[in-house]
Amino acid sequence: MKGNNKSLYAHEILKSDFYTIHEEAKRQENIDPRNKGEVEIAIGVFKFFNDTVIPLLISEPWVYNAALAFADQHIQNYFLSVRLLAEQSYKYQINLQETNKEVVNIVMKMTNEGKSQVAGEIHLAKASDFTKLILFEKLTPSEIQQVNDIYHRVLDQEQIQVTLTLKNIRELYEMGIPRIMFVAQRAIKHTLGLKPAKSNGKLLQPSDYLDWFSKKVDESHYLFPIIGSKEIQKFFKIARNVGSHHIGIKRDQDNNIVILEDRYETLELPLYQFQQRYRYLVYMIDYGTRAILSAFCEVEKGEIANKVFKEYNKTFPVEYPSDINFRPYLVK
């Protein structure tokens, strides 16, 4: 396929995606001032993979062999997991957006009629807090019913979103971290001058990688804010457990607190921080996946590159401009 004589190889498309992930971090900082610093963390993850992992993958056979196993053996199950979660997340994200529009519309209507405080004068932590703006004493019975109906539907969608976030954290922890660290660990070991070990040849438990990481690097490492501290590691382990057992996630609606009640320990944290830690994990795994695959495809340029890119494209479909076409590698 041709379009204005411009075409892209798989590694170029993957590299292009790799360069744009930090845009989500910018958006999050613009949405909520509490997210200040998120861009810096995202760019740090980018620098680690761009400046360390990609060059070593291209130049060092031991690191490249990890990427080969990553592309040929380990990434397919993760892609399938992501596709299933994405379908759920997309469906309920659309539902949440629709109910949020209803909230905006009814607040505007009530404000114009003098039955609501001005939204701009009060910061709402979440859409369901809109009832704090409504002057119920001025409403008719039918208007009260309408407000209550929207409130309960928004509340339901918010609870679904929190539960989905927990499921996504569990899957990224179980499926994403081991696969990214399978390659990243070799790059880190090479940089530190550490010798290869037998365990480097197999996919380990996520906790094995996190324990190793916290012992071998300090707080200056770009991935440390995401997976390095004991507090973060504790959060991921408890979130994984709660996402798997029968108790499930709880929420203090009035105070915007998420409650993760494990069998032996309970962890409470602000809702915004719960969502933020999920995004940090996404940055690490999304950056890592694209960096590793783009460098691998650039080196391999063959059957495995074609196969893994097709799976990637099914998992992360993107509408490219009509003048850009994917040209598969020719197997030599």
Side-chain angles (χ1 to χ4, degrees):
M1 296 173 63
K2 294 181 179 180
N4 296 334
N5 296 320
K6 189 173 184 179
S7 60
L8 290 179
Y9 287 107
H11 73 269
E12 293 173 314
I13 293 175
L14 288 160
K15 185 67 71 69
S16 176
D17 287 358
F18 174 64
Y19 285 142
T20 60
I21 295 172
H22 66 278
E23 293 298 327
E24 173 61 16
K26 289 181 181 178
R27 190 178 75 86
Q28 292 297 335
E29 283 198 6
N30 291 333
I31 290 173
D32 192 331
R34 293 174 299 183
N35 294 332
K36 184 178 181 181
E38 191 155 329
V39 171
E40 182 180 358
I41 287 177
I43 290 176
V45 178
F46 170 86
K47 287 181 178 179
F48 168 67
F49 286 104
N50 190 66
D51 300 346
T52 300
V53 176
I54 290 178
L56 289 176
L57 196 159
I58 293 173
S59 65
E60 295 295 328
W62 187 57
V63 181
Y64 171 80
N65 287 336
L68 172 60
F70 176 89
D72 195 34
Q73 302 171 30
H74 300 316
I75 198 61
Q76 286 73 22
N77 285 339
Y78 171 68
F79 278 167
L80 289 173
S81 174
V82 169
R83 286 172 66 185
L84 290 172
L85 288 174
E87 288 180 8
Q88 276 190 318
S89 298
Y90 178 77
K91 172 185 175 182
Y92 287 108
Q93 185 66 27
I94 294 297
N95 291 345
L96 181 65
Q97 289 174 354
E98 291 300 317
T99 52
N100 285 350
K101 287 179 183 177
E102 290 187 66
V103 168
V104 171
N105 290 337
I106 196 167
V107 170
M108 288 180 62
K109 177 179 179 292
M110 296 295 179
T111 300
N112 291 336
E113 296 175 0
K115 299 178 180 180
S116 171
Q117 301 177 61
V118 179
E121 296 178 357
I122 298 179
H123 173 71
L124 299 180
K126 57 188 181 302
S128 59
D129 290 340
F130 83 96
T131 54
K132 297 176 181 178
L133 301 174
I134 304 299
L135 304 175
F136 281 92
E137 67 277 9
K138 296 186 177 182
L139 303 189
T140 65
S142 63
E143 288 173 334
I144 292 175
Q145 180 62 43
Q146 183 184 15
V147 168
N148 286 336
D149 178 63
I150 294 174
Y151 169 76
H152 287 295
R153 282 189 285 114
V154 172
L155 198 63
D156 180 61
Q157 291 302 319
E158 289 175 349
Q159 185 60 39
I160 288 173
Q161 289 297 317
V162 170
T163 304
L164 272 175
T165 299
L166 180 65
K167 287 183 63 177
N168 289 345
I169 289 172
R170 181 190 66 194
E171 287 299 303
L172 290 181
Y173 179 82
E174 289 285 357
M175 301 288 286
I177 284 179
R179 284 158 175 78
I180 298 303
M181 289 301 296
F182 179 77
V183 180
Q185 183 186 51
R186 293 198 188 190
I188 296 170
K189 291 189 77 170
H190 179 86
T191 302
L192 296 176
L194 301 176
K195 295 181 179 180
K198 287 184 178 180
S199 61
N200 299 143
K202 61 182 180 180
L203 210 58
L204 304 179
Q205 294 284 339
S207 58
D208 293 330
Y209 286 113
L210 298 190
D211 290 343
W212 176 88
F213 181 83
S214 62
K215 292 175 183 176
K216 298 300 181 183
V217 305
D218 58 30
E219 295 181 8
S220 66
H221 195 281
Y222 288 127
L223 297 186
F224 195 90
I226 301 174
I227 61 171
S229 74
K230 294 300 182 183
E231 179 186 359
I232 291 289
Q233 293 182 6
K234 175 181 175 182
F235 164 77
F236 285 136
K237 291 174 184 177
I238 292 179
R240 185 270 312 273
N241 292 345
V242 173
S244 300
H245 63 57
H246 65 284
I247 297 175
I249 193 169
K250 298 179 181 180
R251 185 167 62 138
D252 181 340
Q253 171 70 15
D254 293 333
N255 296 307
N256 296 310
I257 299 293
V258 168
I259 304 169
L260 301 172
E261 186 177 342
D262 200 2
R263 292 180 178 87
Y264 305 108
E265 192 168 10
T266 297
L267 185 64
E268 298 185 5
L269 69 162
L271 175 61
Y272 87 89
Q273 191 178 72
F274 173 72
Q275 295 167 329
Q276 190 178 62
R277 287 180 176 178
Y278 165 60
R279 291 195 303 274
Y280 288 179
L281 192 56
V282 170
Y283 296 147
M284 172 183 161
I285 294 173
D286 277 6
Y287 270 128
T289 298
R290 288 156 178 79
I292 294 166
L293 290 182
S294 66
F296 168 78
C297 290
E298 183 175 2
V299 175
E300 199 262 352
K301 291 187 174 74
E303 183 179 354
I304 298 174
N306 286 337
K307 181 184 73 172
V308 77
F309 180 78
K310 288 177 182 177
E311 291 302 314
Y312 171 84
N313 215 27
K314 282 190 263 182
T315 308
F316 303 101
V318 179
E319 299 258 341
Y320 291 104
S322 59
D323 63 330
I324 297 179
N325 306 284
F326 165 63
R327 183 170 62 191
Y329 294 111
L330 299 177
V331 180
K332 297 180 180 179

Coordinates of all heavy atoms in Angstrom, one line a residue, residues 172-217:
L172 N -2.5 -5.7 35.4 CA -1.2 -5.1 35.1 C -0.1 -5.6 36.0 O 1.0 -5.8 35.6 CB -1.3 -3.6 35.2 CG -2.1 -2.9 34.1 CD1 -2.1 -1.4 34.2 CD2 -1.6 -3.3 32.7
Y173 N -0.5 -5.8 37.3 CA 0.5 -6.3 38.3 C 0.9 -7.7 37.9 O 2.1 -8.1 37.9 CB -0.1 -6.2 39.7 CG 0.8 -6.8 40.8 CD1 1.8 -6.0 41.3 CD2 0.6 -8.1 41.2 CE1 2.6 -6.5 42.3 CE2 1.4 -8.6 42.3 CZ 2.4 -7.7 42.8 OH 3.2 -8.3 43.8
E174 N -0.1 -8.6 37.7 CA 0.1 -10.0 37.4 C 0.7 -10.3 36.1 O 1.6 -11.1 35.9 CB -1.2 -10.8 37.6 CG -1.7 -10.9 39.0 CD -0.9 -11.9 39.9 OE1 0.1 -12.5 39.3 OE2 -1.1 -12.0 41.1
M175 N 0.2 -9.6 35.0 CA 0.6 -9.9 33.6 C 1.6 -8.9 33.1 O 2.4 -9.3 32.2 CB -0.7 -9.9 32.8 CG -1.7 -10.9 33.2 SD -1.2 -12.6 32.9 CE -1.4 -12.7 31.1
G176 N 1.5 -7.6 33.4 CA 2.3 -6.6 32.8 C 3.7 -6.4 33.4 O 4.7 -6.5 32.7
I177 N 3.7 -6.3 34.7 CA 5.0 -6.1 35.4 C 6.0 -7.2 35.1 O 7.2 -6.9 34.7 CB 4.8 -5.9 36.9 CG1 4.3 -4.5 37.2 CG2 6.2 -6.1 37.7 CD1 4.0 -4.3 38.7
P178 N 5.6 -8.5 35.2 CA 6.6 -9.5 34.9 C 7.2 -9.5 33.5 O 8.4 -9.7 33.3 CB 5.9 -10.8 35.2 CG 4.8 -10.5 36.1 CD 4.4 -9.1 35.7
R179 N 6.3 -9.2 32.5 CA 6.8 -9.1 31.1 C 7.7 -8.0 30.9 O 8.7 -8.1 30.2 CB 5.6 -9.2 30.2 CG 4.9 -10.5 30.1 CD 3.5 -10.5 29.7 NE 3.0 -11.9 29.5 CZ 2.6 -12.7 30.5 NH1 2.7 -12.2 31.8 NH2 2.2 -13.9 30.3
I180 N 7.4 -6.8 31.4 CA 8.2 -5.7 31.2 C 9.6 -5.8 31.9 O 10.6 -5.6 31.4 CB 7.6 -4.4 31.6 CG1 6.3 -4.1 30.8 CG2 8.5 -3.2 31.5 CD1 6.5 -4.1 29.3
M181 N 9.5 -6.3 33.1 CA 10.7 -6.5 33.9 C 11.6 -7.6 33.4 O 12.8 -7.6 33.7 CB 10.3 -6.7 35.4 CG 9.8 -5.4 36.1 SD 11.0 -4.0 36.0 CE 12.4 -4.7 37.0
F182 N 11.0 -8.6 32.7 CA 11.8 -9.7 32.1 C 12.9 -9.1 31.2 O 14.0 -9.6 31.2 CB 10.8 -10.6 31.3 CG 11.5 -11.7 30.7 CD1 11.9 -12.8 31.4 CD2 11.8 -11.7 29.3 CE1 12.6 -13.9 30.8 CE2 12.4 -12.7 28.7 CZ 12.8 -13.8 29.4
V183 N 12.5 -8.0 30.5 CA 13.5 -7.4 29.7 C 14.3 -6.3 30.4 O 15.5 -6.2 30.4 CB 12.8 -6.8 28.4 CG1 13.9 -6.1 27.5 CG2 12.1 -7.8 27.6
A184 N 13.5 -5.4 31.2 CA 14.1 -4.3 31.8 C 15.1 -4.7 32.9 O 16.2 -4.0 33.1 CB 13.0 -3.4 32.5
Q185 N 14.9 -5.8 33.5 CA 15.9 -6.3 34.5 C 17.2 -6.6 33.9 O 18.3 -6.2 34.5 CB 15.3 -7.6 35.2 CG 16.2 -8.1 36.3 CD 15.8 -9.5 36.8 OE1 15.6 -10.4 36.1 NE2 15.6 -9.5 38.1
R186 N 17.2 -7.1 32.7 CA 18.5 -7.4 32.0 C 19.2 -6.1 31.7 O 20.5 -6.0 31.8 CB 18.3 -8.2 30.8 CG 17.9 -9.6 31.1 CD 18.1 -10.5 29.9 NE 17.5 -11.9 30.1 CZ 17.7 -12.9 29.3 NH1 18.5 -12.8 28.3 NH2 17.1 -14.1 29.5
A187 N 18.5 -5.1 31.3 CA 19.1 -3.8 31.0 C 19.6 -3.2 32.2 O 20.8 -2.6 32.2 CB 18.0 -2.9 30.3
I188 N 18.9 -3.3 33.3 CA 19.4 -2.7 34.6 C 20.6 -3.4 35.1 O 21.6 -2.8 35.5 CB 18.3 -2.7 35.7 CG1 17.1 -1.8 35.3 CG2 18.8 -2.3 37.0 CD1 15.9 -2.0 36.1
K189 N 20.6 -4.8 35.0 CA 21.8 -5.6 35.4 C 23.0 -5.2 34.6 O 24.1 -5.1 35.1 CB 21.5 -7.1 35.3 CG 20.4 -7.5 36.3 CD 20.3 -9.0 36.4 CE 21.5 -9.7 37.1 NZ 21.3 -11.1 37.4
H190 N 22.8 -5.1 33.3 CA 24.0 -4.7 32.4 C 24.5 -3.4 32.8 O 25.7 -3.2 32.9 CB 23.5 -4.7 31.0 CG 24.6 -4.3 30.0 ND1 25.5 -5.3 29.5 CD2 25.0 -3.1 29.5 CE1 26.4 -4.7 28.7 NE2 26.1 -3.4 28.7
T191 N 23.6 -2.4 33.1 CA 24.1 -1.1 33.5 C 24.8 -1.1 34.8 O 25.8 -0.4 35.0 CB 22.9 -0.1 33.6 OG1 22.2 -0.1 32.3 CG2 23.3 1.3 33.9
L192 N 24.4 -2.0 35.7 CA 25.0 -2.0 37.0 C 26.3 -3.0 37.0 O 26.9 -3.1 38.1 CB 24.0 -2.5 38.1 CG 22.8 -1.6 38.3 CD1 21.9 -2.3 39.3 CD2 23.3 -0.3 38.9
G193 N 26.5 -3.6 35.9 CA 27.6 -4.6 35.9 C 27.4 -5.9 36.6 O 28.4 -6.5 37.0
L194 N 26.1 -6.3 36.8 CA 25.8 -7.5 37.5 C 25.8 -8.7 36.5 O 25.5 -8.6 35.3 CB 24.4 -7.4 38.1 CG 24.3 -6.2 39.1 CD1 22.8 -6.2 39.6 CD2 25.2 -6.4 40.3
K195 N 26.2 -9.8 37.0 CA 26.3 -11.0 36.2 C 24.9 -11.6 35.9 O 24.0 -11.6 36.8 CB 27.2 -12.1 36.8 CG 28.6 -11.6 37.0 CD 29.4 -12.7 37.6 CE 30.9 -12.3 37.7 NZ 31.7 -13.4 38.4
P196 N 24.7 -12.3 34.8 CA 23.4 -13.0 34.5 C 23.2 -14.1 35.5 O 24.2 -14.7 36.0 CB 23.6 -13.6 33.1 CG 24.7 -12.7 32.5 CD 25.6 -12.3 33.6
A197 N 21.9 -14.4 35.7 CA 21.6 -15.5 36.6 C 20.6 -16.5 35.9 O 20.0 -16.1 34.9 CB 20.9 -15.0 37.9
K198 N 20.5 -17.7 36.4 CA 19.6 -18.7 35.7 C 18.1 -18.2 35.7 O 17.4 -18.4 34.8 CB 19.7 -20.0 36.4 CG 21.0 -20.8 36.2 CD 20.9 -22.1 36.9 CE 22.2 -22.9 36.5 NZ 22.2 -24.3 37.2
S199 N 17.8 -17.5 36.8 CA 16.4 -17.0 37.0 C 16.1 -15.9 35.9 O 14.9 -15.7 35.6 CB 16.2 -16.4 38.4 OG 17.1 -15.3 38.6
N200 N 17.1 -15.3 35.3 CA 16.8 -14.3 34.3 C 16.2 -14.9 33.0 O 15.7 -14.2 32.1 CB 18.1 -13.5 33.9 CG 18.7 -12.8 35.1 OD1 19.9 -12.7 35.2 ND2 17.8 -12.2 36.0
G201 N 16.2 -16.2 32.9 CA 15.7 -16.9 31.7 C 14.3 -17.3 31.7 O 13.7 -17.8 30.7
K202 N 13.6 -17.0 32.9 CA 12.2 -17.4 33.0 C 11.4 -16.2 33.5 O 11.9 -15.3 34.2 CB 12.0 -18.6 33.8 CG 12.5 -18.5 35.2 CD 12.3 -19.8 36.0 CE 12.8 -19.7 37.4 NZ 12.7 -20.9 38.2
L203 N 10.1 -16.3 33.3 CA 9.2 -15.2 33.8 C 8.9 -15.5 35.2 O 8.4 -16.5 35.6 CB 7.9 -15.3 32.9 CG 7.1 -14.0 32.7 CD1 7.9 -13.0 32.0 CD2 5.8 -14.3 31.9
L204 N 9.2 -14.5 36.1 CA 9.1 -14.6 37.5 C 7.8 -14.0 38.0 O 7.1 -13.3 37.2 CB 10.3 -14.0 38.2 CG 11.7 -14.4 37.8 CD1 12.7 -13.7 38.6 CD2 11.8 -15.9 38.1
Q205 N 7.5 -14.2 39.3 CA 6.3 -13.6 39.9 C 6.6 -12.1 40.0 O 7.8 -11.6 40.1 CB 6.1 -14.1 41.3 CG 5.7 -15.6 41.4 CD 4.3 -15.8 41.0 OE1 3.5 -14.9 41.1 NE2 4.0 -17.0 40.6
P206 N 5.6 -11.2 39.9 CA 5.8 -9.8 40.0 C 6.5 -9.4 41.3 O 7.4 -8.5 41.2 CB 4.4 -9.2 40.0 CG 3.4 -10.3 40.2 CD 4.1 -11.6 39.8
S207 N 6.2 -10.0 42.4 CA 6.9 -9.7 43.7 C 8.4 -10.0 43.6 O 9.1 -9.2 44.3 CB 6.2 -10.4 44.8 OG 6.3 -11.8 44.7
D208 N 8.8 -11.0 42.9 CA 10.2 -11.3 42.7 C 10.9 -10.1 42.1 O 12.0 -9.7 42.5 CB 10.4 -12.6 41.9 CG 9.9 -13.8 42.7 OD1 9.9 -13.8 43.9 OD2 9.5 -14.8 42.0
Y209 N 10.3 -9.6 41.0 CA 10.9 -8.5 40.3 C 11.0 -7.2 41.2 O 12.0 -6.5 41.2 CB 10.2 -8.2 39.0 CG 10.4 -9.2 37.9 CD1 9.4 -10.0 37.5 CD2 11.7 -9.3 37.3 CE1 9.6 -11.0 36.5 CE2 11.9 -10.3 36.3 CZ 10.9 -11.1 35.9 OH 11.1 -12.0 34.9
L210 N 9.9 -7.0 41.9 CA 9.8 -5.7 42.7 C 10.8 -5.8 43.9 O 11.5 -4.8 44.2 CB 8.4 -5.5 43.2 CG 7.3 -5.3 42.2 CD1 6.0 -4.8 42.8 CD2 7.7 -4.3 41.1
D211 N 10.9 -7.0 44.5 CA 11.9 -7.1 45.6 C 13.3 -6.9 45.1 O 14.1 -6.2 45.7 CB 11.8 -8.5 46.2 CG 10.5 -8.7 47.0 OD1 9.8 -7.7 47.3 OD2 10.1 -9.9 47.3
W212 N 13.6 -7.5 43.9 CA 14.9 -7.4 43.3 C 15.2 -5.9 43.0 O 16.3 -5.4 43.3 CB 15.0 -8.2 42.1 CG 16.3 -8.1 41.4 CD1 17.5 -8.8 41.6 CD2 16.7 -7.1 40.3 NE1 18.5 -8.4 40.7 CE2 18.0 -7.3 40.0 CE3 15.9 -6.1 39.7 CZ2 18.7 -6.6 39.0 CZ3 16.6 -5.4 38.7 CH2 17.9 -5.6 38.4
F213 N 14.2 -5.3 42.4 CA 14.4 -3.9 42.0 C 14.7 -3.0 43.2 O 15.6 -2.2 43.1 CB 13.1 -3.4 41.3 CG 13.2 -2.0 40.8 CD1 13.8 -1.7 39.6 CD2 12.7 -1.0 41.5 CE1 13.9 -0.4 39.1 CE2 12.7 0.4 41.1 CZ 13.3 0.7 39.8
S214 N 13.9 -3.1 44.2 CA 14.1 -2.2 45.4 C 15.5 -2.5 46.1 O 16.0 -1.6 46.8 CB 13.0 -2.4 46.4 OG 13.0 -3.8 46.9
K215 N 16.1 -3.6 45.9 CA 17.4 -3.9 46.5 C 18.5 -3.4 45.7 O 19.6 -3.2 46.2 CB 17.5 -5.5 46.7 CG 16.6 -6.0 47.8 CD 16.7 -7.6 47.8 CE 15.7 -8.1 48.9 NZ 15.8 -9.6 48.9
K216 N 18.3 -3.3 44.4 CA 19.4 -3.0 43.5 C 19.5 -1.6 43.0 O 20.6 -1.1 42.6 CB 19.3 -3.9 42.2 CG 19.4 -5.4 42.5 CD 20.7 -5.8 43.1 CE 20.8 -7.3 43.4 NZ 22.1 -7.6 44.1
V217 N 18.4 -0.8 43.1 CA 18.5 0.6 42.7 C 18.1 1.5 43.8 O 17.5 1.1 44.8 CB 17.5 0.8 41.5 CG1 17.9 -0.1 40.3 CG2 16.1 0.7 41.9

